[in-house]
């Protein structure tokens, strides 16, 4: 199909009449949900024409922001039965449908995801990061001969991965601390949350966006500790986990009427209880008498850093399924705030410790 067949004057638009004739001829070749979206697009435009590039993007499984707005503001509502009411689906199709209802607030997005998802690539990022975290924990458990409250072992701080204020010049520690956990009780809850929440989010939004939110939360967590709890080390993946979970919960609240996941109020309550329990454990451990004085136990500030990333950058990403983030004003605002915070924390780490004449615990 050539562009000149439908846009002979090269105006960049297709008339609604030609567009409808195209649908009548080729509608049987399209997925039913995609055909429904095309019909909605045809009926939503009051000017009698449709952007040709929007049509091309649609056929290649891409959607511009203008296309999405044309559908959402259109006069015709999608009138076929909801995706949830469809029967005769295979196990994999029911799983994809379940993920769509868990993460997306609009029926048109759920149908689009259902038709477009191919499981290629699979949600490799969250699974890989979880396996690596578990592997490091088991290795440390064997080396220290301890799996519960590993953090209380006198040799725990000698690990080259965790963040320690005396070794803050070793930049890799601001990331690699996620592979060290205080104990199996710390690791277990983080792993459960990042798999239950992170894997469905990655299936919908892709590894690039979800890994960005995760690592942005991780970096914000360690930098928050270096600024607000300057004498404490930090361990665990809570910064990344709390970024993902906070973004997901905030997205549900902001789109409450559109989110159709079952028992959403109960599940939100359970998630908040689990997060509060983990945060309370971290606060208790931070102020519990240290096993290696004068260095305190790991800080809890990483949790708060992750939450701040989740309710800012994370929400913008989750609210813009398959949309160009660079077209969103709020994206640039929150990204700028994040970059400013990172730069401030870097300068703080370089100059503030000496200016404040802070007495830090000795290096491990």
């Amino acid at each position: 199909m050539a562009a000149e067949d439908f846009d002979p004057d090269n105006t960049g638009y297709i008339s609604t009449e030609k567009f409808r004739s195209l649908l009548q001829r080729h509608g049987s070749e399209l997925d039913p949900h995609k055909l429904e979206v095309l019909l909605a697009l045809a009926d939503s435009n009051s000017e009698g024409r449709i952007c040709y590039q929007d049509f091309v993007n649609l056929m290649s499984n891409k959607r511009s922001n203008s296309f999405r707005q044309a559908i959402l503001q259109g006069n015709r509502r999608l009138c076929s039965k909801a995706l949830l009411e469809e029967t005769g689906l295979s196990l994999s199709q029911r799983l994809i449908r379940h993920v769509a209802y868990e993460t997306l607030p609009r029926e048109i997005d759920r149908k689009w995801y259902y038709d477009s998802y191919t499981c290629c690539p699979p949600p490799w990022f969250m699974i890989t990061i979880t396996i690596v975290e578990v592997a490091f924990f088991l290795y440390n458990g064997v080396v220290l001969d301890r799996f519960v409250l590993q953090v209380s072992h006198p040799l725990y701080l000698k690990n080259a991965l965790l963040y320690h204020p005396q070794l803050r010049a070793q930049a890799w520690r601001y990331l690699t601390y996620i592979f060290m956990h205080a104990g199996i009780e710390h690791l277990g809850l983080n792993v459960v949350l990042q798999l239950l929440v992170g894997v469905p989010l990655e299936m919908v939004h892709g590894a690039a966006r979800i890994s960005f939110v995760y690592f942005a939360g991780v970096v914000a967590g360690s930098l928050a500790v270096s600024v607000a709890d300057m004498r404490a080390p930090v361990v665990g993946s809570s910064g990344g986990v709390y970024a993902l979970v906070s973004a997901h919960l905030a997205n549900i609240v902001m789109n409450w009427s559109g989110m159709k996941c079952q028992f959403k109020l109960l599940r939100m309550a359970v998630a908040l209880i689990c997060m509060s329990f983990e945060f309370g454990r971290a606060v208790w451990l931070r102020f519990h008498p240290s096993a290696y004085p004068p260095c305190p136990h790991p800080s809890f500030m990483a949790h708060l850093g992750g939450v701040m990333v989740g309710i800012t950058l994370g929400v913008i990403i989750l609210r813009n399924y398959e949309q160009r983030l660079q077209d969103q004003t709020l994206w640039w605002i929150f990204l700028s705030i994040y970059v400013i915070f990172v730069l401030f924390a870097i300068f703080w780490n370089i100059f503030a410790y000496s200016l404040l004449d802070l007495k830090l615990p000795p290096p491990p």
Side-chain angles (χ1 to χ4, degrees), residues 329-350:
T329 303
L330 277 178
W331 165 254
W332 290 110
I333 293 175
F334 288 140
L335 184 62
S336 299
I337 294 173
Y338 181 79
V339 171
I340 290 171
F341 166 72
V342 170
L343 293 175
F344 166 78
I346 290 174
F347 281 101
W348 181 273
N349 276 270
I350 294 174

Side-chain angles (χ1 to χ4, degrees), residues 275-328:
M275 293 173 69
S276 300
F277 172 79
E278 160 57 19
F279 182 70
R281 181 210 59 81
V283 173
W284 169 83
L285 183 63
R286 169 63 179 85
F287 296 106
H288 189 268
S290 177
Y292 28 77
C295 184
H297 280 309
S299 176
F300 56 86
M301 291 301 299
H303 299 69
L304 302 181
V307 169
M308 294 308 298
V309 168
I311 62 177
T312 53
L313 290 172
V315 168
I316 296 300
I317 287 177
L318 299 192
R319 282 175 57 86
N320 288 278
Y321 168 63
E322 283 204 352
Q323 303 304 308
R324 287 162 50 91
L325 294 175
Q326 53 265 44
D327 294 338
Q328 313 298 321

Side-chain angles (χ1 to χ4, degrees), residues 37-309:
V37 172
L38 284 166
L39 288 169
L41 177 62
D43 288 347
S44 69
N45 198 296
S46 60
E47 298 179 358
R49 62 181 188 172
I50 295 164
C51 177
Y52 181 75
Q53 188 58 49
D54 281 346
F55 168 68
V56 172
N57 289 341
L58 176 71
M59 299 309 294
S60 59
N61 286 332
K62 298 178 181 177
R63 300 188 300 169
S64 67
N65 192 51
S66 59
F67 167 79
R68 186 182 193 183
Q69 292 302 318
I71 296 295
L72 295 178
Q73 298 174 6
N75 297 321
R76 178 187 184 275
R77 299 189 59 167
L78 302 179
C79 57
S80 68
K81 62 181 179 181
L83 183 60
L84 192 60
E85 300 171 1
E86 296 190 4
T87 58
L89 302 180
S90 66
L91 179 62
S92 62
Q93 288 174 321
R94 290 199 298 271
L95 174 62
I96 295 171
R97 181 180 66 179
H98 173 76
V99 169
Y101 276 92
E102 287 291 309
T103 56
L104 296 171
R106 301 180 181 89
E107 185 67 18
I108 188 172
D109 286 338
R110 291 192 283 261
K111 290 183 175 182
W112 182 272
Y113 168 74
Y114 178 82
D115 285 332
S116 303
Y117 185 71
T118 61
C119 198
C120 184
W124 61 270
F125 170 73
M126 292 310 309
I127 294 174
T128 301
I129 201 75
T130 300
I131 292 174
V132 175
E133 288 171 4
V134 172
F136 271 103
F137 174 79
L138 293 176
Y139 172 78
N140 287 323
V142 172
V143 171
L144 301 176
D145 193 25
R146 184 176 299 180
F147 292 91
V148 177
L149 280 178
Q150 286 184 356
V151 70
S152 63
H153 195 284
L155 298 180
Y156 184 82
L157 288 183
K158 293 186 179 295
N159 195 289
L161 298 179
L162 59 78
Y163 168 85
H164 189 283
Q166 281 282 20
L167 304 173
R168 64 188 184 278
Q170 298 175 357
W172 70 83
R173 292 176 180 265
Y174 290 90
L175 278 175
T176 58
Y177 75 92
I178 66 172
F179 301 120
M180 299 289 295
H181 284 80
I184 195 168
E185 67 288 344
H186 186 198
L187 173 75
L189 193 55
N190 278 350
V191 164
V192 169
L193 286 174
Q194 72 184 25
L195 288 179
L196 290 181
V197 177
V199 169
L201 290 179
E202 185 179 348
M203 289 175 65
V204 172
H205 297 281
R209 291 191 174 190
I210 297 306
S211 62
F212 174 82
V213 176
Y214 189 85
F215 283 121
V218 169
V219 173
S222 54
L223 290 177
V225 171
S226 71
V227 171
D229 196 2
M230 299 168 66
R231 298 183 66 254
V234 60
V235 297
S237 58
S238 297
V241 173
Y242 274 54
L244 290 178
V245 177
S246 299
H248 182 51
L249 295 181
N251 191 40
I252 291 176
V253 172
M254 295 171 69
N255 299 279
W256 187 260
S257 60
M259 297 297 291
K260 302 299 181 182
C261 47
Q262 293 181 324
F263 310 112
K264 56 186 176 183
L265 184 59
L266 175 62
R267 292 163 64 181
M268 278 194 64
V270 171
L272 289 173
I273 290 172
C274 291
M275 293 173 69
S276 300
F277 172 79
E278 160 57 19
F279 182 70
R281 181 210 59 81
V283 173
W284 169 83
L285 183 63
R286 169 63 179 85
F287 296 106
H288 189 268
S290 177
Y292 28 77
C295 184
H297 280 309
S299 176
F300 56 86
M301 291 301 299
H303 299 69
L304 302 181
V307 169
M308 294 308 298
V309 168

